[in-house]
Amino acid sequence: MGKEITENGVEIRILCRRLVILKKESGIQWLIGSPFLPSLTIVSTLRCLHTLGSESLSPDLPKESDDLRSLLPKGFEVIGALITDDRNVLKIEKIVGNAISAVRNLRKSLYSNDNDNQVLIGAVIDLKNGVGERDVRFFTSRARNSGSVEKVSTIVYEDQPEKFVWDKGCIVRCELPIRLPLYYPLNTEDVEGIYTQAITDVECKFRDPQVTYLIEAHNSHSTGGPQPIVLHGMELNPPEELPENAFSIETARESTVKSLACSYFFSETKDTMPFTSVEENADKILVNIMFNRSRNSLKPVAPIAEYYPATEGAKLLVVDHKLEVLCYAAKELLLMDAVSKLLIPALIDQLHSLKNKISPSLLAEHPKLQPYHFMPSGFLHPITVLYELSYGETEMKQVEARRSLHLRLGLPFDRPLLRVANAISLSRTKDNTGGNSTQKGSSLLKDVHHGIPSSGVSGGFVSLVQGSYEYYHYLQDGFDDSGWGCAYRSLQTIISWFRLQHYTSVHVPSHREIQQSLVEIGDKDPSFIGSREWIGAIELSFVLDKLLGVSCKVINVRSGAELPEKCRELALHFENQGTPIMIGGGVLAYTLLGVDYNEASGDCAFLILDPHYTGNDDLKKIVNGGWCGWKKAVDSKGKHFFLHDKFYNLLLPQRPNIV
Amino acid sequence: MVKAVVGDETQLKLTENRLTRSAIPSEVGLVIGKLSSKLDKGFVYDLVPTPTNDDGEPPCSIIDGVGVGNGKKKGSSRAKSQPESSTLFIDNDWVSEHARQVSRMLLGGMKVVGIYIWVNETSFKNSAITLCQTVKGVAEAASLVETDWNERLLIHISYSPLRWTCRNCSLAANITSNSLRPCDFKMGKVLGSLHTFRCMYNFDVRLPLGHEDGQHIRRFADILRHGITIQAKELRSSKALIDGKLVIEDEQHASYDFHEVEFLLPFLQDKYVEACSQKEVFGVVLFSGSVCSLAYLNSKEPVSQALADIKEDIIMSLLSRLEMLCDEADREPESITDGGEDSSSQKSIDKPVPHLNLGAQRKQYNISFPRRVFVPWLEGTYICDYIQPSETVEVVKDHCVELMSMEAPTDASEILEPESEAPALITSTTKSFWDIAAHDSSAAKWDNSVSKKSRGSRNRISAKSADLNPMLAVLVVVLSIVVGLVLFLIRAA
């Protein structure tokens, strides 16, 4: 990408793939950068949700900063604002001024000791004149100097944004359960005040001289890797704040530890491309916080037990907190700073977020709050969300919380991307099992169509199923359904797709359970259960509706010869819905995973997943035997894949409109 | 199972010389050493004879089988040739009591691992069952926290011909002839190759006392025992630094023979309160202080063993001190009783503090644990003892002579006193329940002010003479208790 010097010599680098997430409506988007990336680099954007009254361009700063503080990992910060305006009454200078002052005020409330030299970005789209990414106009201003605004003319779009973020940066992770006992007088009104005081005490303790930070590479529990590093609480404070006696127990070894950077834990040759997930590609450091019971600046004193009776009625309340934070740190950052400047503030922020949610119900049942981290596809960094686990995920309140997060992140509303099952899992036990196949506790083959030979349609446009599915076929699980179970197996594959996309947590039903639900809805007589009767597309739609609440579209054709005519419609389905299709009808049931269609020539092929396979789950055998592969309506020998004298029903499950 | 035992040559030879010169017919005593399950090996550091009992009688004697069974003429059957039917009499209770007292004085990695007996071959053969019973009694009195040891050593030193044999004695339920099994015994360098691990363990815990808690743990001593049990659990799951380095694998430390251990415990996870409970409390016990601990490791043993030993030493030290306080409370006559007072108020005062039922107390109480001191023992190793606030280092010397049959250190400055007297009075008068309850363990705020005053260096076990301050503090404590008591009684009257 050519770089040219602009009048102010400033260029803005954009990493995120979608900068404008507001859809033809006026509003504010916060632009996110990082102190560890070059200044004026936009990593991501978050929509401003809380506004004052109905005024979409006046952010409610206290609420916004609360939300952003818990959402955004430390190591990322708000560096700008983008305003879309449809009123066209104000001059552009005025709008830019608004954007800059919005971000300046937000930073004031987010970061208490803000750096005055920070350059802020103000960006504007005038909806009357343009809506696209390229219509954004960028301006910059120094944080302390509100008057001068400069126009930016050079915009660089990074080709490999993941590499840009993760080659030089790493994740610092810390999990910390905190159990706080609170004693309060029976006659007090102010338990919350006591709680607040206790939380403040905890804050101080993170920098207690006896606190010890054990730092290690996330995956190196075996031999060979770098040794864990031990940092002591006293080493975190700048020297002038140290109690004078703290130096006496510092050894030479400890002072060398101070000069180590995060990169100590990583090999330099690691390649982050292609970047598939934080779990696999990002470098990670794990920090454990412990309390050193062997260091004390005081002279050792023989044990003493003192009994203090409560002078008035007293009660004890125990509040449990689960903290888990991720921070983003440059690899050359000193470990000491990573802990002191990122990790501890992050823990304190999260503790306050938890406190604010627990406080109102302090004396009643505490909410079960658990932090989860997500990195939806297209996002370059994780975000953190506190979920309440006392209720089910489909509870209205939880759904609303997720919807507003989708809105903030600019995610579509018809797919669940922020459910617990979507969360990044970094806990160690899961890492040990490794591998994709065991991740979901299933041994079935997934996504068998990856890497099969192409269809042979020249100039065709391929439309495929979106997301993962499991391959169900005859004789699986030692169940003999050869000759009658193909539609059941196709249904199982479809339900597995909904499971793996996290629309449902319902397990994949057995043949008997499928029959059972058909009897329950009155479609079949009780004698149907346990029989070997076939089912068709219509029955499948009933079961999908009953078990998952998924509705389906059905396409009928009187003869297999008519199927190629439906290719355009099927391609559209894969583009918009992306669910697997079941083909039923006259004789055989198949699962359709995609079409390859040349609109001009009419040439087409169908990606068929055949449930009639009776062998073992050997990918090679399945692909070579054509059990998963492209089928042309008429093959090279003139044989028709779809029979002309049979009718076909195509079942097109519709993606539910849920998050 | 222990297959081979190695004894410290220097010490055992000294014992051998002493025994052969003494010309007494029999002697029983304790084997101080260590059994290693990982190495299937036993180590013997020293043999300590059991002293004569309170009546001045030796703990064991040979009974002439021909004579009357209960003829207690110890030492008189000092004939050159023993009759075939002679057997041993051993005062099991006394030997067990000795074991109990000695095991309190041993540090980590040193244990009472059995008994030795100096007796002729015939009597030994005839007394297998008796000896097994003694071993069992000793095992019960000096029980090891690590439970995987169901065997102890029985060392037999026979004269004419002079011979050392070692057997391991199974502690299975019933004693049979199979209980004793011979094992390989040799002498070599043991004490000289020991590695020393030192640890300072500080704790500061609050034990809430709730109304719903079972009645049985309302007694002060029981509450503390419960607290120590939780600490033991906490300590077991801790991580450790050795010389500032995190211990990950079970490596062997060969380079230095002195190591500093630090224990890292979970941060801000109060194990002393139950989860999510909300209950009424009538008071809180603040249990705080430090335990200075040492443990010894044989050069072939893994580091994990040293950590286990030092953890055990910390917990055992706390339990021993509590036990001593309770023992003393049991012995103490109910002296504080003043005649002619109101009987209900009297009841609560009568009892010594460890036995108080705190549920019924509306005033503050405290128990100062005895201080731990270290006494030089063999080849640079130490044993420990405890000094009550009212005692001086002199009692330590007595214990050493009596229990360990060693020469008392002539210079009192050789006895290390790393732990200082707890400043009980100061804290108890200035703090209320709410002060204690509001601040969780070692809140940085008010610790800082204190730490600035006492610019103490790391607590190296350094030779320090016993200073007068503890004595002064003791006097003040005693005086104030008396004054407080008088005031209380006056008010109650």
Side-chain angles (χ1 to χ4, degrees), chain A residues 462-476:
Chain A
V462 181
S463 312
L464 291 178
V465 63
Q466 299 171 20
S468 292
Y469 59 89
E470 286 166 334
Y471 181 24
Y472 285 84
H473 57 79
Y474 275 171
L475 300 185
Q476 254 173 354

Side-chain angles (χ1 to χ4, degrees), chain A residues 490-541:
Chain A
S490 181
L491 175 60
Q492 287 175 330
T493 297
I494 291 173
I495 291 178
S496 79
W497 183 91
F498 280 95
R499 259 181 73 81
L500 292 174
Q501 265 45 247
H502 306 303
Y503 282 101
T504 181
S505 52
V506 170
H507 71 272
V508 174
S510 65
H511 294 57
R512 202 185 171 83
E513 284 165 324
I514 292 169
Q515 293 170 335
Q516 179 96 40
S517 43
L518 284 169
V519 170
E520 276 170 30
I521 59 168
D523 181 60
K524 294 275 191 286
D525 292 327
S527 63
F528 180 63
I529 299 173
S531 72
R532 298 185 150 212
E533 278 180 54
W534 293 25
I535 53 172
I538 306 306
E539 282 89 349
L540 256 68
S541 74

Side-chain angles (χ1 to χ4, degrees), chain B residues 354-372:
Chain B
H355 293 340
L356 282 178
N357 178 359
L358 292 184
Q361 306 304 319
R362 306 289 355 126
K363 55 177 266 201
Q364 296 180 0
Y365 282 98
N366 61 60
I367 302 180
S368 288
F369 276 46
R371 287 183 297 137
R372 193 181 214 189

Side-chain angles (χ1 to χ4, degrees), chain A residues 22 80 182 230 266 283 287 333 355 389 410 415 422 430 446 543 552 642:
Chain A
L22 282 159
L182 298 179
V230 182
F266 311 124
D283 282 317
V287 181
L333 186 71
K355 187 209 108 187
L389 298 185
R415 51 205 73 187
N422 301 95
K430 281 175 200 159
K446 263 194 224 161
V543 176
C552 299
F642 297 111

Side-chain angles (χ1 to χ4, degrees), chain A residues 291 293 295 306-307 316, chain B residues 202 262 265 279 290 365 427:
Chain A
F291 196 80
R293 286 284 185 84
R295 290 200 175 191
E306 295 157 280
Y307 167 64
L316 169 65
Chain B
N202 306 304
E262 292 169 75
L265 280 94
K279 61 178 182 186
S290 310
Y365 282 98
T427 48

Side-chain angles (χ1 to χ4, degrees), chain A residues 39-307:
Chain A
S39 138
L40 301 181
T41 301
I42 301 172
V43 185
S44 67
T45 179
L46 299 171
R47 188 171 164 172
C48 169
L49 291 186
H50 302 291
T51 52
L52 295 171
S54 57
E55 184 55 69
S56 63
L57 296 182
S58 326
D60 181 343
L61 291 172
K63 275 191 177 170
E64 278 294 298
S65 60
D66 274 357
D67 274 14
L68 293 182
R69 201 177 279 129
S70 68
L71 195 68
L72 212 53
K74 284 274 176 298
F76 292 104
E77 56 179 3
V78 178
I79 56 161
L82 180 150
I83 289 185
T84 57
D85 190 27
D86 56 358
R87 289 169 303 178
N88 208 12
V89 287
L90 293 170
K91 278 188 191 164
I92 189 144
E93 289 77 20
K94 178 75 182 147
I95 304 173
V96 171
N98 287 346
I100 300 268
S101 80
V103 66
R104 183 177 294 123
N105 292 331
L106 181 72
R107 281 182 67 95
K108 252 181 219 153
S109 105
L110 266 176
Y111 318 114
S112 52
N113 51 348
D114 197 8
N115 174 11
D116 278 344
N117 274 323
Q118 177 70 42
V119 180
L120 303 177
I121 303 174
V124 175
I125 302 186
D126 187 347
L127 288 176
K128 283 285 185 300
N129 301 324
V131 289
E133 198 106 312
R134 309 278 161 170
D135 300 317
V136 181
R137 281 180 281 172
F138 290 95
F139 301 85
T140 61
S141 172
R142 297 234 167 237
R144 71 177 153 197
N145 185 357
S146 50
S148 78
V149 173
E150 289 168 86
K151 190 174 186 322
V152 180
S153 56
T154 312
I155 315 293
V156 178
Y157 290 88
E158 188 62 42
D159 289 334
Q160 297 189 316
E162 284 89 0
K163 197 174 165 60
F164 197 86
V165 174
W166 295 108
D167 266 6
K168 291 189 178 123
C170 63
I171 291 261
V172 180
R173 172 172 178 264
C174 177
E175 211 174 327
L176 181 70
I178 291 182
R179 169 174 290 179
L180 276 186
L182 298 179
Y183 295 86
Y184 63 95
L186 280 179
N187 53 11
T188 188
E189 303 279 294
D190 191 27
V191 187
E192 283 182 38
I194 293 169
Y195 183 34
T196 308
Q197 181 56 45
I199 293 284
T200 316
D201 290 348
V202 170
E203 268 181 53
C204 301
K205 267 183 222 163
F206 283 117
R207 292 178 195 272
D208 189 290
Q210 275 149 279
V211 173
T212 301
Y213 294 83
L214 290 182
I215 311 172
E216 54 195 316
H218 201 281
N219 296 320
S220 75
H221 22 143
S222 53
T223 49
Q227 289 293 306
I229 292 299
V230 182
L231 271 183
H232 300 281
M234 67 202 54
E235 293 162 351
L236 299 172
N237 298 321
E240 61 271 17
E241 288 175 31
L242 272 177
E244 285 172 80
N245 53 0
F247 284 110
S248 58
I249 60 176
E250 187 177 303
T251 63
R253 193 193 138 71
E254 282 163 12
S255 49
T256 63
V257 161
K258 283 186 183 179
S259 60
L260 289 176
C262 297
S263 54
Y264 165 80
F265 291 107
F266 311 124
S267 59
E268 298 197 358
T269 53
K270 179 152 182 169
D271 194 11
T272 51
M273 289 304 289
F275 192 91
T276 53
S277 67
V278 174
E279 287 99 319
E280 297 196 6
N281 301 96
D283 282 317
K284 292 171 290 285
I285 291 176
L286 185 69
V287 181
N288 256 307
I289 307 185
M290 311 287 282
F291 196 80
N292 192 325
R293 286 284 185 84
S294 299
R295 290 200 175 191
N296 196 343
S297 42
L298 306 174
K299 190 170 167 15
V301 166
I304 177 166
E306 295 157 280
Y307 167 64

